Amino acid sequence: MVTKRLLTGLPEDADLRRADSLAREIFSDVANKWALLIIEALGERTLRFSELRNEVEGVSHKMLTQNLRMLERNGLVDRKVYPTVPPRVEYTLTEPGRGLLAAVDAICGWTHQHLGHIESARGRFDA
């Protein structure tokens, strides 16, 4: 795995291959479809919960809540509550979250670039 060569000299907690490492826990947190789609939806914008739910088609209230909490816990999303009735809550990416956005954008680009190839492969496989 590339990470072993790149992380030489770093603590064991940074090794993605170790089941008990913090790096693996973080990777597992952010490498799920909802987290990636939330990060992509936020982009450089600030959105309210309902706006995010509209942007990420198919996400349930529960899954959006869980993923936003996880992203906030990991310091990737800022949550700002305004003292209004009802309370207004907005979400925005932090600097590390915007850094992750670049990787998510690359994954989206890869998906678009290879969509035709993957559709063909699936057609052959499923035939």
Side-chain angles (χ1 to χ4, degrees):
M1 182 179 261
V2 174
T3 56
K4 190 66 170 179
R5 289 193 314 267
L6 295 176
L7 298 176
T8 301
L10 291 178
E12 290 180 348
D13 221 18
D15 187 350
L16 285 171
R17 296 182 300 174
R18 291 180 52 93
D20 62 344
S21 74
L22 178 59
R24 167 118 28 125
E25 181 182 336
I26 295 165
F27 184 80
S28 177
D29 280 351
V30 300
N32 77 71
K33 73 177 177 181
W34 298 123
L36 296 174
L37 291 171
I38 290 166
I39 290 165
E40 180 66 22
L42 283 171
E44 299 294 331
R45 305 182 293 170
T46 297
L47 296 174
R48 295 177 70 175
F49 186 91
S50 59
E51 293 171 323
L52 262 172
R53 190 154 180 215
N54 290 336
E55 287 286 322
V56 183
E57 191 173 315
V59 68
S60 69
H61 186 279
K62 178 182 175 181
M63 289 309 298
L64 183 56
T65 299
Q66 287 177 350
N67 277 274
L68 284 168
R69 285 181 182 159
M70 174 274 298
L71 292 167
E72 183 182 10
R73 178 176 182 254
N74 285 316
L76 302 172
V77 168
D78 272 336
R79 178 179 181 263
K80 186 170 183 178
V81 181
Y82 294 90
T84 60
V85 178
R88 188 177 88 202
V89 181
E90 294 180 341
Y91 299 91
T92 190
L93 293 178
T94 62
E95 184 178 338
R98 287 189 301 275
L100 184 56
L101 175 63
V104 173
D105 285 343
I107 292 170
C108 291
W110 176 90
T111 303
H112 294 139
Q113 181 180 354
H114 297 287
L115 191 61
H117 172 81
I118 293 168
E119 282 180 322
S120 296
R122 285 182 173 190
R124 289 189 305 275
F125 186 85
D126 294 340

